[in-house]
């Protein structure tokens, strides 16, 4: 509802309450007035008012049952008689009668007075033909009345009146709706005999009525097309046909054979909505009939041809229908039928519904188990005949369809695996641990093993795929398994075990109810499969080395579990997860996993001997610690295509964050280091990934959207290749080596003239030319290979750059995790300069979106996770000197930056270090037992908190650094520092304001430009606002500072000679604001200081030219002058006195009526300065002196029109003056005078006007 409608409804509600109260007091006069006003309001012109008056009348009649309804109905008929109303008022009269009947119906008394009910029905029947005004509102009102009418009253009073309307049921949707409602409400009255009398048949759906019903449904589909809803009578028709037993005829003859085949989207959408809406009311055979017919095929064709993001897609609406059906019905058999039939709707073997369809949330546990079994059975024995498979029009036109059967089976199997995986990954699906483990075992077995012989211990061997799985299908299943394993590592506790978890307790992810890891259970199952060598065969058999690595990994994990029970250690849990994750990857990447397992064993040995190594006085520094090796392994995980390994790397890194050393952190920073200087090798090495063809084959089961995306990416690659070809063509034009080789070939065959030889030689023979052509062709072929090699090299470099940037963005997650989990670690300070170096090395103007995202992510981590962190390191007693040096380096780096955005990050880093130094005293109390409350970065710390709490800050050293930066900012024209940096410094650390105040005061006049001088005034303002500086102004030294500020402000204003540029205006405004703040401080603290020495300077400033043109400068100036006792002059409004025509007659010459000026006479046309006739006309035509081009002599009528047009334009240009002074009379034409209104100070300016006739100058 819009704002205006809310206001109107609010006023209407107050009026309704008043009228109801007036009627409830039973005062005859007020009651009659209330009824009359409400009846008159039924035909209000506002759409929102008519329902309000109708509702108010209904409430009045409900509260006062003494008011006869017959009287109200007679007033409505008399007031809104359509036959007597004028043509222009027919619409209002129709609405008045309709809302009057609606009020009688809503009063609840209409059924108690049958005669009034009968008259109301007749009035609605008379209003029904006015469809242009009322649409189908009379029929809807009639249906609502029938829905509340008892059967006895309908039979006695209404049936005879409504017979005519009921007999027209098959002529319009409204009449059919009326009949259907009557059949549902009054089955005893409208018995089969009466229905046969009305329609000629005892049932609604007959072979004779089918064409009529089809036309009615088509009309209704067009009407409700935009509303996206079912017609109101359709569900009533379904209920009647279900009761009569003719639903099958309705569905097959009307819906499938007619509406669905019409290929018009309104009709098809009506069929789709009807399909979803009738599901809760059908029996099991009827469900099968509906879900296996033509409507389902048409729906599948629509889903495939229309993307889900399209607003015309019906898939979201169908999902809502199915979701409500599964949620509301408890019949397990019906639930299973619906979910399986939708899963069988396939396009070339691939189901049209998403593999992540969320409707399974409402499946009962038994139905979910049966559905999982059905999915597994369809994977083992794909039954395409049981599926409703279809092909789109474009697919039918495609004649190249090799091995369609195998292709469809593969697509169906891939979807089944994806559906099983989504059941485990969806946390909203109610499932037990046994079901999850059963799905995991099934997918793992068919991804890596083949059954040779059935084994009772392994249920997966009982059924073998009827069609052997292809290599691409097995690779896809393997990828799905590792995706499933990734979900298992983040899976919360299932079943009733989740109820025992406290709300404040951190949830344990990746564990079963018995405390065992999910991945541990999978590894145990894999080991049991490997032991059955006689009955099960591994698709990719293990080598001897891989088998030994597997056995050693299992033994290590068992030992870790034993130690984990005795002593809870962080390293043990970390290594357990790493061993299991890398060990399960032996089935996919055997060689790499063997190397990683070897490194993990080495790390474990070092971690177990960590305590002994720390107890020794001399340690082997060349040997890396276990954390460093683990970090290297985690970095290698990030480069893997497996999402599982990448996720595990982040999980493990979070756990080992407290153990990270400086060397381990440096390994991460080496990866993020920009292009290395001095020819050093990069820490990131890009290698080509093999088996790319397998990855392409794995995408065969994807949907059409993925194929489109790949096509777009290929197009982009083609564009990049075209660009590289253009670059190579440019290189080709300047290839001197190729030119020299070509010259050598030509000279070898004497086909080119050497220097100094004549060109008059005989032509060469054919053999020589053939040999020459052969040599030239081989030369060009070699050159083409050289160009192609260049092109491939450029493409390779571009791909390497993309992969490197993507890898660095993943490594940035480690930095972010470390800053979030360990904000109080001293290693945080080692991240400041590397992050700034990354921001510096990345250019601002980036054409690559990936590089831009990398820069943005780095900047966000530095700003949000580092500088704005609430917690920071507190034990800095040993590193405070290093932190001071780091502040100096950051500020020096900020001053040397060419870009102010990069300089801002350097300055923010220095402020972060300042906060760390200041927030930690040199001797921490109670070893950090007292917890201090941190403030946000933008919140200013008060001076009272900072007095005597400098912490570890060497204030003199820090002040010197910031003073140097301030001096550079004020004395250098182009400086990367900004004023916001120093304002932020003053706001957050007022302790430094007093020390930098003298420098800021100095640069009020010593700044290199007006801009810097104005900013110095702004800094002094900020310093004076701090409480610490205000407290220092009370003593003698403070008075000296105030006098210095006054003198500097005086000099600053004195050197201003003009106020034209914006920088000058800004300087004046800042200086005036400083004077205002200083005056307030002097008065509040009652300082014995006089500021009247500034009055002469301010007065001289106000007399400068163009001073009052800027409102900001003018307002600030008079605000300051008001402090010294000067009042701002009021603007004088100059009113022009009305001219008295009689007084003007004596002063001006009165022209005779019909007088013709001398210049207009024909004999004087050519006497003006000897000009041609056209020029004379041109000059004489424009009395003001403006020239106009008139190529021909204008006639008298045209000249008069031109003069009239000119006078109107002059009058429009000076309309304000003429409106004030009045229009001159026709008899005495006064001289035109312009009056200026003066400037803002009220000055009056007199403008001279030149008369055309005698040149007399007149002034006002």
């Amino acid at each position: 509802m819009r704002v205006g409608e809310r206001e109107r409804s609010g006023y209407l509600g107050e009026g309704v309450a008043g009228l109801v109260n007036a009627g409830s007091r039973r005062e005859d006069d007020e009651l009659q007035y209330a009824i009359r006003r409400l009846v008159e309001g039924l035909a209000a012109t506002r759409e929102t008012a008519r329902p309000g008056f109708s509702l108010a009348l209904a409430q009045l009649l409900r509260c006062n049952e003494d008011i006869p309804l017959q009287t109200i109905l007679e007033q409505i008929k008399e007031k809104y008689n359509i036959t007597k109303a004028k043509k222009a008022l027919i619409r209002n009269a129709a609405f008045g009668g309709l809302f009057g009947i609606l009020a009688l119906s809503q009063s609840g008394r209409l059924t108690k007075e049958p005669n009034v009910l009968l008259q109301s029905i007749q009035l609605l029947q008379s209003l029904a033909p006015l469809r242009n005004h009322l649409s189908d509102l009379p029929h809807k009102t009639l249906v609502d009345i029938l829905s509340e009418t008892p059967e006895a009253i309908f039979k006695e009073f209404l049936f005879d009146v409504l017979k005519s309307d009921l007999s027209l049921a098959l002529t319009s949707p409204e009449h059919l709706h009326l009949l259907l409602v009557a059949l549902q409400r009054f089955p005893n009255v409208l018995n089969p005999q009466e229905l046969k009398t009305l329609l000629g048949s005892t049932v609604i759906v007959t072979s004779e009525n089918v064409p009529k019903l089809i036309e009615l449904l088509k009309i209704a589909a067009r009407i409700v097309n935009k509303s996206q809803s079912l017609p109101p009578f359709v569900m009533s028709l379904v209920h009647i046909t279900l009761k009569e037993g003719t639903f099958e005829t309705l569905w097959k003859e009307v819906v499938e054979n007619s509406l669905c085949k019409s290929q018009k989207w309104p009709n098809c959408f009506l069929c789709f909505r009807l399909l979803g809406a009738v599901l809760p009311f059908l029996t099991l055979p009827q469900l099968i009939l509906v879900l296996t017919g033509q409507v389902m095929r048409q729906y599948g064709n629509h889903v495939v041809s229309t993307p889900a993001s399209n607003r015309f897609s019906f898939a979201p609406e169908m999902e809502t229908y199915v979701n409500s059906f599964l949620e509301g019905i408890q019949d397990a058999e019906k639930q299973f039928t619906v979910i399986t039939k939708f899963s069988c709707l396939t396009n070339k073997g691939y189901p049209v519904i998403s593999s992540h369809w969320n409707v399974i949330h409402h499946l009962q546990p038994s139905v979910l188990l049966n559905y999982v079994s059905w999915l597994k059975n369809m994977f083992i024995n794909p039954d395409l005949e049981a599926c409703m498979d279809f092909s789109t029009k474009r697919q039918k036109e495609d004649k190249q369809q090799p091995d369609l059967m195998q292709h469809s089976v593969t697509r169906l199997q891939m979807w089944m695996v994806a559906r099983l995986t989504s059941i485990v990954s969806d946390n909203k699906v109610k499932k037990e641990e046994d079901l999850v483990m059963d799905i995991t075992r099934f997918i793992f077995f068919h991804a890596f093993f083949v059954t040779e012989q059935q084994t009772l211990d392994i249920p997966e061997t009982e059924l073998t795929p009827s069609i052997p799985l292809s290599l691409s299908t097995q690779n896809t299943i393997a990828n799905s398994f590792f995706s499933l394993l990734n979900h298992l590592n983040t899976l919360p506790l299932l079943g009733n075990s989740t109820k025992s978890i406290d709300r404040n307790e951190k949830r344990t992810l990746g564990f079963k109810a018995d405390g065992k890891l999910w991945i541990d259970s999978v590894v145990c199952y894999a080991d049991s499969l490997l032991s059955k060598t006689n009955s099960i065969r591994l698709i990719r058999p293990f080598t001897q080395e891989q088998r030994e690595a597997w056995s050693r990994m299992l033994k290590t994990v068992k030992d870790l579990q034993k130690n984990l029970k005795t002593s809870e250690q962080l390293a043990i849990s970390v290594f357990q997860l790493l061993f299991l994750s890398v060990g399960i990857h032996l089935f996919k990447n055997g060689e790499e996993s063997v190397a990683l397992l070897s490194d993990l064993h080495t790390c474990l040995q070092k971690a177990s001997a960590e305590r002994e190594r720390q107890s020794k006085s001399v340690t082997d520094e060349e040997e890396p610690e276990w954390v460093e090796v683990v970090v290297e392994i985690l970095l290698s995980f990030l480069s893997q295509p497996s999402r599982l390994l990448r996720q595990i790397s982040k999980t493990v890194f979070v756990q080992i964050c407290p153990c990270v050393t400086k060397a381990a952190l440096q390994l991460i920073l080496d990866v993020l280091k920009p292009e290395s200087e001095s020819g050093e090798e990069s820490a990131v090495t890009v290698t080509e990934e093999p088996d790319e063809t397998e990855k392409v084959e794995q995408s065969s089961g994807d949907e059409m959207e993925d194929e489109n995306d790949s096509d777009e990416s290929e197009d982009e690659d083609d564009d990049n290749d075209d660009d590289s070809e253009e670059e190579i063509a440019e290189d080709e034009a300047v290839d001197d080596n190729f030119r020299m080789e070509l010259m050598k070939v030509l000279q070898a065959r004497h086909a080119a003239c050497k220097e100094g030889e004549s060109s008059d030689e005989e032509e060469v023979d054919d053999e020589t030319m053939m040999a020459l052509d052969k040599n030239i062709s081989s030369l060009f072929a070699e050159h083409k290979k050289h160009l192609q090699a260049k092109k491939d090299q450029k493409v390779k470099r571009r791909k390497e750059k993309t992969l490197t940037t993507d890898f660095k963005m993943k490594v940035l997650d480690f930095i972010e995790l470390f800053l979030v989990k360990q904000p109080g670690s001293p290693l945080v300070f080692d991240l400041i300069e590397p992050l700034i170096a990354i921001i510096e090395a990345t250019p601002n103007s980036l054409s690559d979106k990936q590089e831009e995202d990398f820069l943005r992510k780095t900047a966000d981590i530095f700003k949000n996770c580092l500088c704005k962190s609430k917690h920071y390191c507190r034990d800095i007693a040993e590193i405070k000197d290093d932190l001071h040096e780091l502040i100096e380096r950051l500020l020096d780096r900020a001053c040397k930056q060419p870009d102010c955005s990069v300089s801002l990050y350097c300055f923010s880093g220095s402020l972060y270090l300042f906060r760390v130094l200041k927030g930690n005293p040199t001797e921490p109390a109670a070893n950090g037992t007292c917890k201090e409350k941190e403030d946000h970065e933008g919140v200013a710390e008060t001076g009272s908190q900072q007095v005597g709490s400098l912490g570890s800050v060497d204030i003199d050293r820090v002040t010197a650094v910031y003073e140097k930066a301030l001096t550079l900012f004020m004395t250098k024209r182009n400086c990367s520092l900004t004023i916001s940096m120093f304002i932020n410094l003053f706001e957050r650390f007022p302790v430094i304001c007093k020390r930098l105040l003298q420098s800021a005061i100095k640069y009020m006049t010593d700044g290199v430009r007006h801009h810097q001088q104005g900013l110095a005034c702004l800094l002094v303002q900020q310093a004076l606002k701090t409480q610490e500086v205000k407290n220092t102004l009370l003593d003698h030294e403070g008075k000296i500072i105030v006098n210095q500020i006054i003198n500097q402000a005086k000099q600053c204003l004195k050197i201003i000679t003009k106020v034209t540029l914006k920088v000058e205006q800004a300087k004046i405004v800042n200086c005036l604001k400083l004077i205002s703040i200083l005056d307030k401080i002097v008065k509040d603290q009652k300082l014995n200081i006089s500021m009247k020495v500034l009055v002469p300077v301010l007065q001289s400033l106000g007399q400068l030219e163009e001073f009052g043109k800027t409102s900001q400068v003018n307002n600030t100036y008079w605000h300051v002058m008001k402090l010294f006792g000067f009042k701002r002059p009021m603007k004088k409004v100059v009113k022009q006195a009305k001219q008295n025509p009689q007084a003007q007659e004596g002063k001006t010459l009165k022209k005779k009526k019909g007088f013709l000026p001398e210049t207009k006479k024909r004999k004087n046309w050519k006497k003006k300065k000897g000009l041609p006739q056209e020029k004379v006309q041109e000059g004489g035509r424009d009395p003001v002196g403006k020239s106009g081009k008139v190529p021909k002599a204008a006639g008298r009528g045209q000249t008069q029109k031109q003069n009239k047009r000119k006078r109107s334009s002059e009058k429009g240009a000076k309309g304000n003056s003429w409106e004030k002074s009045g229009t001159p009379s026709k008899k005495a034409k006064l001289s035109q005078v312009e009056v200026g209104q003066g400037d803002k100070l009220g000055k009056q300016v007199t403008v001279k006007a030149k008369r055309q006739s005698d040149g007399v100058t007149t002034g006002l």
Side-chain angles (χ1 to χ4, degrees), residues 207-383:
S207 58
E208 295 82 5
N209 296 339
V210 164
K212 298 178 181 179
L213 290 175
I214 292 172
E215 292 300 324
L216 293 180
L217 287 173
K218 289 181 179 179
I219 294 172
R222 290 195 298 268
I223 294 174
V224 300
N225 184 25
K226 294 183 178 180
S227 62
Q228 297 183 356
S229 61
L230 273 174
F233 71 92
V234 173
M235 290 309 299
S236 300
L237 179 62
V238 170
H239 289 299
I240 294 298
T241 54
L242 288 174
K243 184 178 180 181
E244 295 175 350
T246 58
F247 175 77
E248 289 78 4
T249 305
L250 173 68
W251 189 260
K252 284 187 172 294
E253 299 297 332
V254 178
V255 179
E256 289 187 350
N257 296 337
S258 298
L259 291 177
C260 191
K261 291 183 178 180
S262 63
Q263 299 297 327
K264 293 183 178 179
W265 286 117
N267 299 337
C268 292
F269 275 39
L270 175 61
C271 296
F272 299 159
R273 292 190 178 96
L274 185 59
L275 170 65
V278 300
L279 292 178
F281 309 103
L282 302 181
T283 61
L284 187 60
Q286 291 172 344
L287 279 175
I288 298 175
L289 171 67
V290 168
L291 297 175
T292 56
Q294 185 63 30
V295 178
M296 280 289 286
R297 294 181 185 272
Q298 185 68 20
Y299 170 71
N301 195 359
H302 163 74
V303 173
V304 173
S305 59
T306 306
S309 59
N310 195 329
R311 65 188 182 95
F312 295 107
S313 176
F314 192 79
E317 192 171 346
M318 180 61 75
E319 183 177 350
T320 304
Y321 280 119
V322 178
N323 197 19
S324 61
F325 167 77
L326 295 176
E327 184 179 6
I329 197 167
Q330 300 299 325
D331 191 345
E333 195 171 359
K334 288 184 179 181
Q335 281 191 344
F336 180 75
T337 301
V338 170
I339 193 65
T340 53
K341 292 302 179 182
F342 272 97
S343 300
C344 287
L345 182 60
T346 59
N347 171 237
K348 298 179 67 174
Y350 198 86
V352 298
I353 63 173
S354 173
S355 59
H356 298 274
W357 214 26
N358 296 328
V359 297
I360 61 174
H361 296 167
H362 305 290
L363 291 180
Q364 297 180 10
S366 60
V367 179
L368 183 61
L369 289 175
N370 294 334
Y371 183 54
V372 171
S373 300
W374 179 84
L375 291 173
K376 292 162 60 177
N377 189 28
M378 285 293 288
F379 177 85
I380 298 297
N381 299 310
D383 188 6

Side-chain angles (χ1 to χ4, degrees), residues 667-687:
L667 291 175
I668 302 174
L669 296 177
D670 290 341
V671 176
L672 298 173
K673 187 182 299 183
E675 295 297 332
S676 57
E677 299 85 359
S678 67
E680 297 180 359
E681 294 184 359
S682 176
V684 182
T685 304
V686 180
T687 58

Side-chain angles (χ1 to χ4, degrees), residues 4 139 296 339 346 355 377 471 480 510 575 640 695 766 900 907 917 920 946 1083 1131 1209 1227 1236:
H139 287 92
M296 280 289 286
I339 193 65
T346 59
S355 59
N377 189 28
L471 182 61
S480 300
F575 278 108
Q640 298 294 327
K695 295 182 180 180
D766 294 339
C900 62
F907 202 89
L917 289 169
N920 291 271
Q946 296 193 6
K1083 291 180 180 178
K1131 293 183 179 180
S1209 63
K1227 295 184 179 180

Side-chain angles (χ1 to χ4, degrees), residues 775-788:
N775 293 335
I776 292 177
S777 62
S778 62
L779 180 62
F780 273 98
E782 183 179 356
H783 182 62
K784 186 177 181 181
K785 291 181 181 179
H786 178 66
L787 294 180
Q788 185 65 30

Side-chain angles (χ1 to χ4, degrees), residues 28 58 90 136 235 244 253 452 501 705 828 864 1074 1086 1170:
D28 293 339
I90 289 179
D136 58 344
M235 290 309 299
E244 295 175 350
E253 299 297 332
E452 297 288 344
I501 299 177
E705 290 79 5
V828 172
N864 299 323
L1074 175 60
K1086 299 179 180 180

Side-chain angles (χ1 to χ4, degrees), residues 720-831:
N720 296 332
D721 294 342
D722 295 339
D723 298 338
S724 61
E725 287 177 1
E726 294 178 0
E727 297 175 358
I728 292 174
E730 294 178 359
D731 297 339
E732 183 181 0
V734 292
D735 195 349
D736 294 335
N737 295 329
F738 174 70
R739 186 182 295 110
M740 294 299 297
E741 292 292 334
L742 181 60
M743 292 297 295
K744 288 180 181 179
V745 172
L746 295 176
Q747 290 175 1
R749 294 295 180 180
H750 302 283
C753 296
K754 298 181 180 180
E755 295 181 1
E757 294 182 0
S758 62
S759 60
D760 298 337
E761 295 182 357
E762 297 180 358
E763 297 181 356
V764 295
D765 54 358
D766 294 339
E767 295 180 359
T768 305
M769 289 300 298
M770 291 296 293
L772 180 62
D773 292 341
K774 184 177 181 180
N775 293 335
I776 292 177
S777 62
S778 62
L779 180 62
F780 273 98
E782 183 179 356
H783 182 62
K784 186 177 181 181
K785 291 181 181 179
H786 178 66
L787 294 180
Q788 185 65 30
K790 282 186 175 181
K791 175 183 174 181
D792 295 341
Q793 188 67 20
K794 289 185 178 180
V795 173
K796 182 180 178 182
R797 285 198 299 266
R798 184 170 62 248
K799 291 183 178 179
E800 288 180 357
K801 183 179 179 182
T802 302
L803 292 174
T804 303
T805 306
D806 183 64
F807 177 65
K808 287 183 178 180
M809 291 186 68
K810 296 173 184 176
V811 175
L812 273 179
D813 294 335
F814 281 1
I815 300 295
E816 185 176 6
L817 289 173
F818 183 78
L819 291 174
V820 172
K821 299 297 181 181
Q822 297 293 321
S825 174
L827 296 177
V828 172
F829 305 127
D830 296 333
L831 298 175

Side-chain angles (χ1 to χ4, degrees), residues 935-1148:
D935 292 336
H936 291 284
E937 181 182 4
V939 180
E941 301 179 8
T942 59
S944 60
Q945 294 176 340
Q946 296 193 6
V947 176
S949 61
L950 292 178
S952 302
V953 178
D954 187 352
I955 192 63
D956 296 331
R957 187 174 179 181
V958 173
T959 303
V961 176
Y962 282 105
E963 188 174 3
K964 179 181 177 182
L966 180 61
T967 302
L968 182 66
F969 173 65
M970 291 296 175
T971 57
K972 188 177 179 181
R973 288 181 174 271
N974 296 324
C975 184
S976 59
L977 302 177
T978 59
I979 189 60
S980 60
M981 301 177 186
F982 294 98
I983 291 179
N984 193 13
L985 173 67
F986 281 20
E987 288 179 349
R988 295 180 58 190
F989 308 105
V991 69
I992 206 172
C993 290
K994 179 181 176 181
R995 297 177 176 270
L996 295 181
L997 181 59
Q998 290 293 338
S999 299
I1001 296 172
K1002 173 185 176 183
Y1003 292 115
M1004 289 174 60
T1005 56
D1006 294 348
V1008 66
R1009 290 182 300 181
H1010 288 295
H1011 178 64
Q1012 279 79 2
Q1013 296 173 9
L1015 295 180
C1017 296
L1018 189 60
L1019 278 179
V1020 176
Q1021 291 180 43
Q1022 188 63 40
L1024 293 177
K1025 291 179 182 179
T1026 60
Q1027 188 63 35
E1028 188 174 90
V1029 175
K1030 289 181 180 179
N1031 295 336
T1032 60
L1033 299 179
L1034 298 175
D1035 53 4
H1036 178 70
E1037 184 180 355
K1039 294 180 180 179
I1040 297 176
I1041 294 176
V1042 173
N1043 289 323
Q1044 289 179 356
I1045 297 175
I1046 295 173
N1047 294 330
Q1048 288 292 93
K1050 181 179 179 181
Q1051 295 296 328
C1052 183
L1053 295 176
K1054 187 180 295 185
I1055 60 178
I1056 297 175
T1057 58
K1058 55 182 179 179
V1059 196
T1060 55
L1061 301 178
K1062 289 185 177 180
V1063 291
E1064 298 171 345
Q1065 298 171 3
K1067 175 184 174 181
I1068 293 174
V1069 170
N1070 291 332
C1071 189
L1072 292 175
K1073 289 182 178 179
L1074 175 60
I1075 295 174
S1076 176
I1077 294 174
L1078 193 61
D1079 181 76
K1080 186 175 182 301
I1081 292 175
V1082 170
K1083 291 180 180 178
D1084 291 345
Q1085 299 187 2
K1086 299 179 180 180
L1087 300 178
N1088 188 15
I1089 298 175
S1090 176
M1091 297 185 62
K1092 293 186 178 180
V1093 294
L1094 297 173
V1095 173
V1097 181
L1098 292 174
Q1099 289 178 341
S1100 61
L1101 180 66
Q1103 296 176 359
L1104 295 177
E1105 293 186 11
E1106 302 179 354
F1107 179 77
K1109 285 190 174 182
T1110 306
S1111 59
Q1112 184 182 10
V1113 176
N1114 198 23
N1115 294 336
T1116 309
Y1117 172 77
W1118 285 111
H1119 173 71
V1120 174
M1121 294 299 289
K1122 185 178 179 180
L1123 300 176
F1124 294 106
F1126 293 89
K1127 292 185 178 180
R1128 186 174 185 173
M1130 300 297 295
K1131 293 183 179 180
K1132 295 182 180 180
V1133 180
V1134 180
K1135 295 183 179 180
Q1136 185 177 359
K1138 295 184 178 180
Q1139 297 179 356
N1140 188 2
Q1142 296 180 358
Q1144 294 291 337
E1145 287 181 359
K1147 298 180 181 180
T1148 59

